[in-house]
Amino acid sequence: MRTRVIAGNWKMHKTVAEGRALARAIREGLGGAPSCEVILAPPFTALEAVGAEIAGSPIGLAAQNVHWEEAGAFTGEISPRMLEDVGCSAVLIGHSERRQYFGETDRTVNLRVRAALRSTLAPIVCVGESLADRESGRHEDIVAQQLAGGLDGLTAGDLERIILAYEPVWAIGTGRTASPETAQEMHGFIRRTLAGKFGADAGRVRIVYGGSVKPDNTAALMRQPDIDGALVGGACLEAKSFLGIIRHEP
Ligand code: PEP
């Protein structure tokens, strides 16, 4: 009932030419229509070129961040309209690297989510606890707090366009994937929390897992009832491994 989504977060990797080549290899490697939704999130500089490469294919284009104003004196920022203009249909918001290194807070996540919802962009909202939070048993409190702040003021109808990404910080780029059971526990918790806030519509929200997803651990993760796809970092930078994840056998 929920279409799986596999999204690749290229982070600060790939020049325009490299991005074009990777997007082409993924498009060609996919062949026909994949059984899941596929999204590429290159850096801003490669959005247009990657968008042109995947035009007419089932692959979607996402940015890695968005500002909440439409235009103005905000040096270094990019508005929702600019992202729509280059063909984006989605945007990552609140990635842990933005929270950790660039002062992103639940408040700014919320502003970005609301701005995306005012546009046509689908927000992919990232939440997740640090290792210290997990070891002190506060992981659910932290994620509940991120959900409350990041989704503040939204309606059940807004949920239709949102994808949530659970990305435990201790699993990102570390090679230490959450076990399918650990990930499922948190995905179930996220869905129950959303149901408490928004009601039955929570059953329709896609919640994807991120944190060292590789071709050989994808199927076990995807077998969990509340895991609806993956947000992939390192393994999306090469067509072979990203295609291996897309072609997982659930
Ligand atoms: C990410 O940064 O969103 C991510 C999940 O990275 P990796 O797959 O490299 O852990």
Side-chain angles (χ1 to χ4, degrees), residues 5-19:
V5 51
I6 305 288
N9 173 14
W10 295 12
K11 309 195 186 191
M12 197 172 73
H13 293 285
K14 307 293 177 188
T15 63
V16 171
E18 290 164 352

Side-chain angles (χ1 to χ4, degrees), residues 171-227:
I172 295 180
T174 58
R176 187 181 162 188
T177 322
S179 70
E181 295 72 26
T182 300
Q184 166 56 32
E185 261 174 35
M186 186 58 95
H187 282 234
F189 172 77
I190 291 172
R191 202 175 301 285
R192 288 193 300 280
T193 305
L194 293 177
K197 189 173 164 65
F198 299 105
D201 289 290
R204 300 216 303 264
V205 180
R206 290 178 295 174
I207 308 174
V208 303
Y209 167 80
S212 299
V213 174
K214 309 280 179 235
D216 61 0
N217 59 27
T218 308
L221 286 161
M222 297 307 132
R223 273 196 289 270
Q224 300 300 316
D226 288 296
I227 300 185

